[in-house]
Amino acid sequence: MTISFIIPVYNTERYLDNCVSSILNQGIDEDLFEIIIVNDGSTDSSAQIITNLSKDRNTIKYIDSENLGLGAARNRGLNIAQGKYIFFIDSDDYLFDNSLPNLFGYAASVSYDIIGLDWAEVYSDGSVTRKERKSSTYNSLMSGAEYLSKFNLSGGVCPYLFSASLLREKSILMPEGIYHEDELFLSETFTYAHQIVFVNQLVYAYYQREGSITNNKEEKQIRKRISDTIFVLDQLVSLEKRLHLNELQIKGLRRKITTLSVDFIVNLIRFRVDKEMVADKLHELRIRKLYPLPKAAYSWKYNLFLFVFNYEPCIVLASKLGLFKKD
């Protein structure tokens, strides 16, 4: 079996059928894949939709669970997955038409630790914004540590195929009960990966909807998102200390820690937190020796950010002005 698709579901009755159908309708031999759907305690009609979709289909495996969160739901799927590669899909997203046949042929013929795919943001008005990677990364074989040391690793786990054997060998699972579980999972898999490759093929459609985990702007969720970033930073620092990493792995992981610290500061500004909270959260970075941000030749954008926002009053002012705000 080539690919195990893992789809966690929580109250996405409007999108679920389209998500699953986008896999089934691509003309792939159903012996080559499985779809593992984990119902994470949905209170809408998602459970019935899953039941209908899985009826008379051995391809679809249905796990019913209490509401434990995204990370736990993905782990439930990982525990029973039998494919060579793991492909995580969020239940409000989907795959583009005719994107899988070539991918299946490619995945079956190679044995990489990670295969990166192209993705696009899709909006309710029908507009599509494709997110392409740097051209130099396509079809260039490298280690995950080399990629981390040269490029900013951002985004979620969905536009990737992960080697199931790598995840089992290194006992890599999703963190549970937190936001930003993708950041930790990606950082760990890339640190361990010996061979990764990116293919220039548009596969994954991120549907941008109000009410999703990513777009939730309630104050309670904002505060948890910020505190969970600190947790992830602690885990990444711990990862560097407790593993026997080579020089390139350390270099890549430190760059990832720095770019996540930048994202943390951006979110303080984007969510327009008050002066007291800015001071409190920057203090948390300082005691971890993550702020002020280190001087490094990552990019001119990083150097500009460093020049402006290594000065706390600039962060407070930018928060008041609502810079980086997402509408």
PDB file of all heavy atoms in Angstrom, residues 26-52:
ATOM      1  N   GLN A  26     -10.142  10.262  -8.176  1.00  0.00           N
ATOM      2  CA  GLN A  26      -8.960  10.529  -9.005  1.00  0.00           C
ATOM      3  C   GLN A  26      -8.517   9.326  -9.831  1.00  0.00           C
ATOM      4  O   GLN A  26      -7.470   9.349 -10.476  1.00  0.00           O
ATOM      5  CB  GLN A  26      -7.810  11.021  -8.120  1.00  0.00           C
ATOM      6  CG  GLN A  26      -8.164  12.279  -7.352  1.00  0.00           C
ATOM      7  CD  GLN A  26      -7.092  13.342  -7.412  1.00  0.00           C
ATOM      8  OE1 GLN A  26      -6.155  13.280  -8.214  1.00  0.00           O
ATOM      9  NE2 GLN A  26      -7.228  14.351  -6.587  1.00  0.00           N
ATOM     10  N   GLY A  27      -9.305   8.265  -9.779  1.00  0.00           N
ATOM     11  CA  GLY A  27      -9.013   7.112 -10.633  1.00  0.00           C
ATOM     12  C   GLY A  27      -7.858   6.258 -10.167  1.00  0.00           C
ATOM     13  O   GLY A  27      -7.270   5.518 -10.964  1.00  0.00           O
ATOM     14  N   ILE A  28      -7.534   6.329  -8.876  1.00  0.00           N
ATOM     15  CA  ILE A  28      -6.441   5.524  -8.329  1.00  0.00           C
ATOM     16  C   ILE A  28      -6.983   4.159  -7.889  1.00  0.00           C
ATOM     17  O   ILE A  28      -8.054   4.063  -7.292  1.00  0.00           O
ATOM     18  CB  ILE A  28      -5.798   6.234  -7.118  1.00  0.00           C
ATOM     19  CG1 ILE A  28      -5.329   7.644  -7.493  1.00  0.00           C
ATOM     20  CG2 ILE A  28      -4.638   5.408  -6.570  1.00  0.00           C
ATOM     21  CD1 ILE A  28      -4.255   7.687  -8.524  1.00  0.00           C
ATOM     22  N   ASP A  29      -6.250   3.112  -8.198  1.00  0.00           N
ATOM     23  CA  ASP A  29      -6.604   1.768  -7.731  1.00  0.00           C
ATOM     24  C   ASP A  29      -6.719   1.797  -6.204  1.00  0.00           C
ATOM     25  O   ASP A  29      -5.766   2.161  -5.506  1.00  0.00           O
ATOM     26  CB  ASP A  29      -5.516   0.782  -8.172  1.00  0.00           C
ATOM     27  CG  ASP A  29      -5.838  -0.671  -7.812  1.00  0.00           C
ATOM     28  OD1 ASP A  29      -6.698  -0.908  -6.943  1.00  0.00           O
ATOM     29  OD2 ASP A  29      -5.201  -1.561  -8.398  1.00  0.00           O
ATOM     30  N   GLU A  30      -7.876   1.410  -5.687  1.00  0.00           N
ATOM     31  CA  GLU A  30      -8.117   1.525  -4.251  1.00  0.00           C
ATOM     32  C   GLU A  30      -7.291   0.539  -3.423  1.00  0.00           C
ATOM     33  O   GLU A  30      -7.289   0.618  -2.192  1.00  0.00           O
ATOM     34  CB  GLU A  30      -9.613   1.402  -3.951  1.00  0.00           C
ATOM     35  CG  GLU A  30     -10.412   2.579  -4.520  1.00  0.00           C
ATOM     36  CD  GLU A  30     -11.832   2.659  -3.993  1.00  0.00           C
ATOM     37  OE1 GLU A  30     -12.185   1.904  -3.070  1.00  0.00           O
ATOM     38  OE2 GLU A  30     -12.593   3.498  -4.513  1.00  0.00           O
ATOM     39  N   ASP A  31      -6.606  -0.390  -4.062  1.00  0.00           N
ATOM     40  CA  ASP A  31      -5.681  -1.258  -3.334  1.00  0.00           C
ATOM     41  C   ASP A  31      -4.390  -0.522  -2.961  1.00  0.00           C
ATOM     42  O   ASP A  31      -3.608  -1.011  -2.140  1.00  0.00           O
ATOM     43  CB  ASP A  31      -5.322  -2.487  -4.176  1.00  0.00           C
ATOM     44  CG  ASP A  31      -6.487  -3.455  -4.328  1.00  0.00           C
ATOM     45  OD1 ASP A  31      -7.376  -3.454  -3.446  1.00  0.00           O
ATOM     46  OD2 ASP A  31      -6.523  -4.201  -5.329  1.00  0.00           O
ATOM     47  N   LEU A  32      -4.186   0.645  -3.578  1.00  0.00           N
ATOM     48  CA  LEU A  32      -2.940   1.381  -3.376  1.00  0.00           C
ATOM     49  C   LEU A  32      -3.003   2.384  -2.231  1.00  0.00           C
ATOM     50  O   LEU A  32      -1.996   3.008  -1.902  1.00  0.00           O
ATOM     51  CB  LEU A  32      -2.548   2.114  -4.665  1.00  0.00           C
ATOM     52  CG  LEU A  32      -2.246   1.234  -5.879  1.00  0.00           C
ATOM     53  CD1 LEU A  32      -1.924   2.096  -7.089  1.00  0.00           C
ATOM     54  CD2 LEU A  32      -1.099   0.276  -5.580  1.00  0.00           C
ATOM     55  N   PHE A  33      -4.168   2.571  -1.646  1.00  0.00           N
ATOM     56  CA  PHE A  33      -4.275   3.559  -0.573  1.00  0.00           C
ATOM     57  C   PHE A  33      -5.375   3.183   0.408  1.00  0.00           C
ATOM     58  O   PHE A  33      -6.211   2.318   0.141  1.00  0.00           O
ATOM     59  CB  PHE A  33      -4.525   4.956  -1.137  1.00  0.00           C
ATOM     60  CG  PHE A  33      -5.867   5.146  -1.803  1.00  0.00           C
ATOM     61  CD1 PHE A  33      -6.958   5.623  -1.083  1.00  0.00           C
ATOM     62  CD2 PHE A  33      -6.041   4.859  -3.154  1.00  0.00           C
ATOM     63  CE1 PHE A  33      -8.189   5.802  -1.695  1.00  0.00           C
ATOM     64  CE2 PHE A  33      -7.266   5.034  -3.771  1.00  0.00           C
ATOM     65  CZ  PHE A  33      -8.350   5.504  -3.045  1.00  0.00           C
ATOM     66  N   GLU A  34      -5.337   3.854   1.547  1.00  0.00           N
ATOM     67  CA  GLU A  34      -6.406   3.757   2.534  1.00  0.00           C
ATOM     68  C   GLU A  34      -6.727   5.165   3.034  1.00  0.00           C
ATOM     69  O   GLU A  34      -5.854   6.055   3.025  1.00  0.00           O
ATOM     70  CB  GLU A  34      -5.992   2.861   3.713  1.00  0.00           C
ATOM     71  CG  GLU A  34      -4.813   3.387   4.502  1.00  0.00           C
ATOM     72  CD  GLU A  34      -4.396   2.463   5.646  1.00  0.00           C
ATOM     73  OE1 GLU A  34      -5.108   1.481   5.902  1.00  0.00           O
ATOM     74  OE2 GLU A  34      -3.348   2.744   6.290  1.00  0.00           O
ATOM     75  N   ILE A  35      -7.962   5.368   3.410  1.00  0.00           N
ATOM     76  CA  ILE A  35      -8.390   6.639   3.992  1.00  0.00           C
ATOM     77  C   ILE A  35      -8.832   6.359   5.421  1.00  0.00           C
ATOM     78  O   ILE A  35      -9.783   5.610   5.653  1.00  0.00           O
ATOM     79  CB  ILE A  35      -9.547   7.270   3.198  1.00  0.00           C
ATOM     80  CG1 ILE A  35      -9.145   7.513   1.744  1.00  0.00           C
ATOM     81  CG2 ILE A  35      -9.987   8.580   3.854  1.00  0.00           C
ATOM     82  CD1 ILE A  35     -10.293   7.993   0.857  1.00  0.00           C
ATOM     83  N   ILE A  36      -8.115   6.922   6.381  1.00  0.00           N
ATOM     84  CA  ILE A  36      -8.437   6.736   7.794  1.00  0.00           C
ATOM     85  C   ILE A  36      -9.102   8.018   8.295  1.00  0.00           C
ATOM     86  O   ILE A  36      -8.467   9.078   8.335  1.00  0.00           O
ATOM     87  CB  ILE A  36      -7.179   6.431   8.622  1.00  0.00           C
ATOM     88  CG1 ILE A  36      -6.472   5.190   8.060  1.00  0.00           C
ATOM     89  CG2 ILE A  36      -7.540   6.229  10.095  1.00  0.00           C
ATOM     90  CD1 ILE A  36      -5.098   4.937   8.683  1.00  0.00           C
ATOM     91  N   ILE A  37     -10.383   7.928   8.620  1.00  0.00           N
ATOM     92  CA  ILE A  37     -11.135   9.092   9.082  1.00  0.00           C
ATOM     93  C   ILE A  37     -11.353   8.958  10.584  1.00  0.00           C
ATOM     94  O   ILE A  37     -11.908   7.961  11.061  1.00  0.00           O
ATOM     95  CB  ILE A  37     -12.490   9.215   8.364  1.00  0.00           C
ATOM     96  CG1 ILE A  37     -12.301   9.216   6.842  1.00  0.00           C
ATOM     97  CG2 ILE A  37     -13.210  10.478   8.814  1.00  0.00           C
ATOM     98  CD1 ILE A  37     -13.605   9.281   6.059  1.00  0.00           C
ATOM     99  N   VAL A  38     -10.894   9.961  11.340  1.00  0.00           N
ATOM    100  CA  VAL A  38     -11.021   9.944  12.797  1.00  0.00           C
ATOM    101  C   VAL A  38     -12.013  11.024  13.209  1.00  0.00           C
ATOM    102  O   VAL A  38     -11.745  12.222  13.079  1.00  0.00           O
ATOM    103  CB  VAL A  38      -9.663  10.191  13.480  1.00  0.00           C
ATOM    104  CG1 VAL A  38      -9.808  10.070  15.001  1.00  0.00           C
ATOM    105  CG2 VAL A  38      -8.607   9.220  12.958  1.00  0.00           C
ATOM    106  N   ASN A  39     -13.170  10.613  13.675  1.00  0.00           N
ATOM    107  CA  ASN A  39     -14.180  11.553  14.146  1.00  0.00           C
ATOM    108  C   ASN A  39     -13.837  11.963  15.573  1.00  0.00           C
ATOM    109  O   ASN A  39     -13.937  11.178  16.510  1.00  0.00           O
ATOM    110  CB  ASN A  39     -15.571  10.914  14.097  1.00  0.00           C
ATOM    111  CG  ASN A  39     -16.650  11.872  14.577  1.00  0.00           C
ATOM    112  OD1 ASN A  39     -16.495  13.081  14.481  1.00  0.00           O
ATOM    113  ND2 ASN A  39     -17.734  11.326  15.106  1.00  0.00           N
ATOM    114  N   ASP A  40     -13.434  13.208  15.739  1.00  0.00           N
ATOM    115  CA  ASP A  40     -12.945  13.707  17.028  1.00  0.00           C
ATOM    116  C   ASP A  40     -14.085  14.312  17.850  1.00  0.00           C
ATOM    117  O   ASP A  40     -14.056  15.483  18.217  1.00  0.00           O
ATOM    118  CB  ASP A  40     -11.827  14.738  16.780  1.00  0.00           C
ATOM    119  CG  ASP A  40     -11.133  15.162  18.071  1.00  0.00           C
ATOM    120  OD1 ASP A  40     -10.935  14.306  18.944  1.00  0.00           O
ATOM    121  OD2 ASP A  40     -10.786  16.352  18.183  1.00  0.00           O
ATOM    122  N   GLY A  41     -15.102  13.495  18.112  1.00  0.00           N
ATOM    123  CA  GLY A  41     -16.197  13.946  18.966  1.00  0.00           C
ATOM    124  C   GLY A  41     -17.101  14.975  18.329  1.00  0.00           C
ATOM    125  O   GLY A  41     -17.631  15.857  19.034  1.00  0.00           O
ATOM    126  N   SER A  42     -17.323  14.900  17.025  1.00  0.00           N
ATOM    127  CA  SER A  42     -18.191  15.876  16.342  1.00  0.00           C
ATOM    128  C   SER A  42     -19.603  15.846  16.922  1.00  0.00           C
ATOM    129  O   SER A  42     -20.131  14.786  17.287  1.00  0.00           O
ATOM    130  CB  SER A  42     -18.254  15.564  14.841  1.00  0.00           C
ATOM    131  OG  SER A  42     -16.993  15.721  14.236  1.00  0.00           O
ATOM    132  N   THR A  43     -20.221  17.020  16.972  1.00  0.00           N
ATOM    133  CA  THR A  43     -21.594  17.138  17.459  1.00  0.00           C
ATOM    134  C   THR A  43     -22.578  17.462  16.343  1.00  0.00           C
ATOM    135  O   THR A  43     -23.773  17.622  16.603  1.00  0.00           O
ATOM    136  CB  THR A  43     -21.682  18.221  18.552  1.00  0.00           C
ATOM    137  OG1 THR A  43     -21.206  19.475  18.015  1.00  0.00           O
ATOM    138  CG2 THR A  43     -20.831  17.844  19.764  1.00  0.00           C
ATOM    139  N   ASP A  44     -22.104  17.566  15.112  1.00  0.00           N
ATOM    140  CA  ASP A  44     -22.986  17.800  13.968  1.00  0.00           C
ATOM    141  C   ASP A  44     -23.228  16.455  13.275  1.00  0.00           C
ATOM    142  O   ASP A  44     -23.129  15.399  13.891  1.00  0.00           O
ATOM    143  CB  ASP A  44     -22.400  18.857  13.023  1.00  0.00           C
ATOM    144  CG  ASP A  44     -21.073  18.419  12.392  1.00  0.00           C
ATOM    145  OD1 ASP A  44     -20.605  17.290  12.703  1.00  0.00           O
ATOM    146  OD2 ASP A  44     -20.507  19.185  11.600  1.00  0.00           O
ATOM    147  N   SER A  45     -23.520  16.468  12.003  1.00  0.00           N
ATOM    148  CA  SER A  45     -23.835  15.225  11.292  1.00  0.00           C
ATOM    149  C   SER A  45     -22.612  14.564  10.660  1.00  0.00           C
ATOM    150  O   SER A  45     -22.749  13.675   9.812  1.00  0.00           O
ATOM    151  CB  SER A  45     -24.884  15.504  10.211  1.00  0.00           C
ATOM    152  OG  SER A  45     -24.386  16.401   9.232  1.00  0.00           O
ATOM    153  N   SER A  46     -21.417  14.969  11.060  1.00  0.00           N
ATOM    154  CA  SER A  46     -20.190  14.408  10.473  1.00  0.00           C
ATOM    155  C   SER A  46     -20.133  12.894  10.615  1.00  0.00           C
ATOM    156  O   SER A  46     -19.723  12.184   9.683  1.00  0.00           O
ATOM    157  CB  SER A  46     -18.952  15.032  11.116  1.00  0.00           C
ATOM    158  OG  SER A  46     -18.836  16.409  10.791  1.00  0.00           O
ATOM    159  N   ALA A  47     -20.524  12.363  11.786  1.00  0.00           N
ATOM    160  CA  ALA A  47     -20.456  10.915  12.017  1.00  0.00           C
ATOM    161  C   ALA A  47     -21.304  10.152  11.011  1.00  0.00           C
ATOM    162  O   ALA A  47     -20.873   9.119  10.470  1.00  0.00           O
ATOM    163  CB  ALA A  47     -20.888  10.583  13.443  1.00  0.00           C
ATOM    164  N   GLN A  48     -22.508  10.662  10.731  1.00  0.00           N
ATOM    165  CA  GLN A  48     -23.379   9.988   9.768  1.00  0.00           C
ATOM    166  C   GLN A  48     -22.803  10.065   8.362  1.00  0.00           C
ATOM    167  O   GLN A  48     -22.884   9.103   7.589  1.00  0.00           O
ATOM    168  CB  GLN A  48     -24.772  10.612   9.796  1.00  0.00           C
ATOM    169  CG  GLN A  48     -25.791   9.905   8.911  1.00  0.00           C
ATOM    170  CD  GLN A  48     -25.962   8.443   9.281  1.00  0.00           C
ATOM    171  OE1 GLN A  48     -26.218   8.116  10.430  1.00  0.00           O
ATOM    172  NE2 GLN A  48     -25.820   7.545   8.298  1.00  0.00           N
ATOM    173  N   ILE A  49     -22.215  11.196   8.035  1.00  0.00           N
ATOM    174  CA  ILE A  49     -21.594  11.345   6.711  1.00  0.00           C
ATOM    175  C   ILE A  49     -20.451  10.349   6.551  1.00  0.00           C
ATOM    176  O   ILE A  49     -20.320   9.698   5.502  1.00  0.00           O
ATOM    177  CB  ILE A  49     -21.091  12.792   6.516  1.00  0.00           C
ATOM    178  CG1 ILE A  49     -22.283  13.760   6.463  1.00  0.00           C
ATOM    179  CG2 ILE A  49     -20.255  12.910   5.239  1.00  0.00           C
ATOM    180  CD1 ILE A  49     -21.878  15.228   6.499  1.00  0.00           C
ATOM    181  N   ILE A  50     -19.636  10.182   7.596  1.00  0.00           N
ATOM    182  CA  ILE A  50     -18.537   9.215   7.535  1.00  0.00           C
ATOM    183  C   ILE A  50     -19.083   7.803   7.359  1.00  0.00           C
ATOM    184  O   ILE A  50     -18.561   7.003   6.562  1.00  0.00           O
ATOM    185  CB  ILE A  50     -17.663   9.298   8.806  1.00  0.00           C
ATOM    186  CG1 ILE A  50     -17.059  10.690   8.960  1.00  0.00           C
ATOM    187  CG2 ILE A  50     -16.538   8.252   8.740  1.00  0.00           C
ATOM    188  CD1 ILE A  50     -16.419  10.935  10.311  1.00  0.00           C
ATOM    189  N   THR A  51     -20.139   7.486   8.087  1.00  0.00           N
ATOM    190  CA  THR A  51     -20.755   6.167   7.970  1.00  0.00           C
ATOM    191  C   THR A  51     -21.223   5.908   6.548  1.00  0.00           C
ATOM    192  O   THR A  51     -21.006   4.827   5.978  1.00  0.00           O
ATOM    193  CB  THR A  51     -21.936   6.033   8.946  1.00  0.00           C
ATOM    194  OG1 THR A  51     -21.457   6.190  10.296  1.00  0.00           O
ATOM    195  CG2 THR A  51     -22.613   4.678   8.813  1.00  0.00           C
ATOM    196  N   ASN A  52     -21.863   6.912   5.953  1.00  0.00           N
ATOM    197  CA  ASN A  52     -22.347   6.765   4.569  1.00  0.00           C
ATOM    198  C   ASN A  52     -21.198   6.608   3.590  1.00  0.00           C
ATOM    199  O   ASN A  52     -21.264   5.797   2.650  1.00  0.00           O
ATOM    200  CB  ASN A  52     -23.202   7.974   4.190  1.00  0.00           C
ATOM    201  CG  ASN A  52     -24.494   8.050   4.982  1.00  0.00           C
ATOM    202  OD1 ASN A  52     -24.947   7.055   5.547  1.00  0.00           O
ATOM    203  ND2 ASN A  52     -25.080   9.239   5.040  1.00  0.00           N
TER     204      ASN A  52
END
